[in-house]
Amino acid sequence: MTTAEPATRTGPYQHYVYAYPHKTAYRELPDRPSLKALWAAEPKDTLSLYLHIPFCEVRCGFCNLFTRIGAPDGLTGAYLDALERQARAVREALGETDDVRFATAAFGGGTPTFLTAAELDRLCDIAEHRMGADLRAVPLSVEASPATATADRLAVLAGRGTTRLSLGVQSFVDSEARAAVRPQRRADVEAALARVRDTRIPVLNIDLIYGIDGQTEQTWRHSLDAALAWRPEELYLYPLYVRPLTGLDRRGPGGAAGPDPAWDEQRLRLYRAGRDHLLAHGYTQQSMRMFRRTDAPPQGADDYACQTDGMIGLGCGARSYTAGLHYSFDYAVGMHQIRGIIDDYVAADASDFAHAEVGHPMNPQEARRRHLLQSLLQAEGLRLDDYRARFGGAPADDFGPELERFADRGWLTDTDPTTLRLTPEGLAHSDAIGPELFSPAVRAAMTAYERK
C-alpha cells in the first residue's frame, strides 16, 4: 500500500482534523448517484443524524464554518421547508422503517439556536416525524451561543430531549473576545450559563480558545477558572487558527501566512497549562481538545468516534457518510458564495435531494486511513484487535513509515501491546499527526481546491 509522505509544513498546528477527508477534497459527482443506491447495502441500525443550521447572529473572526450572518425575513422558514423536503427524500431512500434506527442526533451550524423557539420545535419535528429519530431515547447534542441561549429556546430543547448543550464562549475576558472578533460581554455569558443550568440539561459543554492576541497564561487561567465555576461536564480547549477568508485573516497575515514558531510555542504553552489545570480539577482527557468531568454522565460517541457508523446529514452544510462515499453540498467560506449556496438549497425540490451532488469516494485504503486517524486522535487510542477484525491486518502493515516517525518523535506509547495510543506529547501534536496521515490523493485535492 502506498503511504503518505509527511506534510511539508512543520509545526504542531497544521490542521484541525474533525473529519476525514476534509470538505476541500470533495468534488462535484458527475454521475449524481441516487441516495437509494448509495444506502441500499449499508447497515442502518446505528445511524447518526446531524441537522445543520447555517445562520449566526455574528461571524467570529476565526470562523471558517459554513454559515451566514443573519437571515432576511422568511429565510429561516424557507430553509426549514427545504430541510423538510430533504428529510422526506432521504428517508424514502433509506427504505423500510423497521430497518432504520438512529443511535445519536445533533444540531449544529452555524448556530442552531439562531432559530426561534417555534422554529426549533419544528426542527425537532423534522428529526422525529420525518426521519424517525426518537430524540428522547438517544443522545441529542445542540450547539448554542450566549446571545441565542434564551430561556424559551432552551425550554424547547430541554423538553424535546436534549442531553448536551455546547456553548461557544471562547473567552471570559472581554478584551480577548473583541480580539477574536467575537463581540460579547462576560456578564451576558454568565447569564446564558445560568439559563442553561436552570434547564437541567444533563451535559453542559463550554468551548474555550487559546492563542488569542494579547492572551497570557494569567488570563487563560482566568477563563478556565470562570468556566470551572459552572462545573461543566465537558470542556473543549481549541487552539486559535487564522484561516483564509476569515475576519482575522483580513485583519492581517497571522497564522494563514505560514509557520509562526513564536505563536506555536505560545499555543503549546497555553495548551499544556490548560490541560494540566483541568486534570488537576477532576477532568479526564478524551482528545487533544476534549475534557470530561470524571463524574459526568455518559454521552455516547465522542466527536472522533464515527469510524464505523453511518452518518445522515441534513442541511446545506451537513456531510453524510457511507462506506463508499462521503457527500455533501458545495462548500465555501466567503459570505457571498455561502449566501448563493443557501439560496440554491432553499430553491431545490424533492427530486434534487434524492441524489448526491458533491463528495469524495472512499476506497478501502482511505477507509483504513480514516479509521486509524480518527481512532488515534482519541486519548483511548486504537485497539489493534478492532482494526484487525475490520481490515484483516495490523496498522503497522498499512502505515508502518508514518507510525515509525510518530514513535521516533515520542508521540506513541509502548506501554500497552493491545492498543495503539498517543503519549501526552503526541496528543499535544494531534494537529500535526492528523494531516501527516492524509493520503497523497486527498492532500492533492485539498491543495487544488479553489477557495471561495
Side-chain angles (χ1 to χ4, degrees):
M1 179 179 295
T2 302
T3 58
E5 292 300 317
T8 55
R9 178 175 172 175
T10 60
Y13 298 104
Q14 296 177 34
H15 195 72
Y16 171 24
V17 182
Y18 61 92
Y20 178 80
H22 190 269
K23 275 177 117 178
T24 52
Y26 290 19
R27 294 295 183 270
E28 288 189 15
L29 302 169
D31 55 344
R32 297 181 69 243
S34 74
L35 301 191
K36 186 174 182 179
L38 286 175
W39 286 97
E42 294 289 315
K44 294 185 278 286
D45 58 342
T46 54
L47 294 173
S48 298
L49 179 64
Y50 177 77
L51 275 63
H52 180 259
I53 304 300
F55 305 107
C56 289
E57 75 275 13
V58 65
R59 189 165 194 181
C60 303
F62 51 83
C63 178
N64 69 340
L65 299 179
F66 186 92
T67 189
R68 62 164 290 166
I69 302 170
D73 287 346
L75 182 57
T76 54
Y79 183 84
L80 290 174
D81 290 343
L83 196 70
E84 188 155 8
R85 291 195 297 275
Q86 185 187 9
R88 289 179 184 272
V90 171
R91 192 61 188 81
E92 182 178 348
L94 290 178
E96 293 297 324
T97 303
D98 292 344
D99 296 334
V100 179
R101 293 183 180 86
F102 290 96
T104 64
F107 302 158
T111 307
T113 48
F114 180 89
L115 300 178
T116 66
E119 289 171 334
L120 285 171
D121 220 16
R122 185 181 176 194
L123 186 69
C124 293
D125 282 345
I126 292 171
E128 291 194 336
H129 304 322
R130 301 302 175 217
M131 292 305 298
D134 187 349
L135 298 182
R136 292 173 179 82
V138 302
L140 170 59
S141 178
V142 181
E143 297 172 4
S145 67
T148 61
T150 58
D152 59 339
R153 291 176 171 101
L154 293 172
V156 168
L157 294 175
R160 298 301 293 260
T162 300
T163 56
R164 178 180 182 270
L165 195 290
S166 181
L167 199 69
V169 173
Q170 319 315 348
S171 176
F172 283 86
V173 179
D174 289 353
S175 61
E176 291 179 2
R178 289 193 298 271
V181 194
R182 184 181 178 84
Q184 66 184 22
R185 297 183 306 139
R186 176 173 175 175
D188 297 329
V189 172
E190 300 279 1
L193 285 164
R195 291 192 296 270
V196 174
R197 280 311 198 195
D198 286 344
T199 66
R200 301 189 181 278
I201 291 173
V203 174
L204 165 65
N205 172 70
I206 297 176
D207 289 344
L208 297 176
I209 286 181
Y210 54 92
I212 299 170
D213 187 31
Q215 191 175 49
T216 66
E217 288 192 48
Q218 289 72 31
T219 62
W220 177 228
R221 175 73 67 89
H222 179 78
S223 280
L224 290 166
D225 286 338
L228 287 171
W230 292 97
R231 300 198 72 242
E233 284 72 23
E234 294 177 2
L235 276 158
Y236 271 69
L237 309 185
Y238 288 95
L240 180 67
Y241 278 96
V242 177
R243 294 304 193 193
L245 304 181
T246 61
L248 289 180
D249 178 49
R250 290 191 295 271
R251 283 188 167 193
D260 185 336
W263 193 31
D264 285 348
E265 179 54 38
Q266 180 210 21
R267 285 180 288 179
L268 269 178
R269 184 173 65 253
L270 294 174
Y271 160 78
R272 291 172 178 139
R275 174 199 62 194
D276 294 346
H277 195 59
L278 295 186
L279 293 179
H281 281 76
Y283 286 76
T284 58
Q285 187 167 15
Q286 306 295 310
S287 69
M288 172 187 170
R289 288 164 169 75
M290 181 183 180
F291 296 80
R292 179 178 290 139
R293 213 178 70 207
T294 304
D295 61 347
Q299 176 55 26
D302 293 335
D303 54 347
Y304 295 111
C306 55
Q307 296 91 330
T308 57
D309 295 344
M311 170 73 78
I312 298 289
L314 301 180
C316 59
R319 311 163 188 254
S320 295
Y321 305 143
T322 68
L325 181 71
H326 290 190
Y327 63 93
S328 183
F329 296 92
D330 199 6
Y331 171 73
V333 175
M335 192 56 60
H336 178 73
Q337 289 79 5
I338 288 174
R339 288 174 177 171
I341 294 170
I342 293 173
D343 290 345
D344 289 343
Y345 176 85
V346 167
D349 60 31
S351 63
D352 295 322
F353 293 130
H355 300 268
E357 302 285 348
V358 177
H360 190 282
M362 293 296 289
N363 59 35
Q365 291 81 8
E366 292 287 22
R368 287 177 169 85
R369 193 174 293 277
R370 176 176 182 258
H371 189 94
L372 170 65
L373 189 156
Q374 297 197 158
S375 298
L376 192 59
L377 295 183
Q378 296 180 87
E380 65 181 16
L382 169 62
R383 287 188 58 84
L384 300 182
D385 55 355
D386 289 345
Y387 188 93
R388 187 176 298 277
R390 186 175 183 192
F391 300 113
D397 299 333
D398 300 325
F399 305 102
E402 292 96 325
L403 296 178
E404 287 179 12
R405 286 197 296 270
F406 299 158
D408 289 344
R409 296 168 187 165
W411 292 350
L412 291 177
T413 179
D414 57 3
T415 57
D416 183 355
T418 69
T419 304
L420 192 64
R421 184 180 290 118
L422 295 178
T423 61
E425 194 61 14
L427 278 175
H429 286 79
S430 292
D431 284 6
I433 290 171
E436 195 158 326
L437 287 171
F438 290 4
S439 71
V442 165
R443 196 174 295 141
M446 292 175 65
T447 300
Y449 173 75
E450 186 175 340
R451 295 189 184 115
K452 54 187 177 183

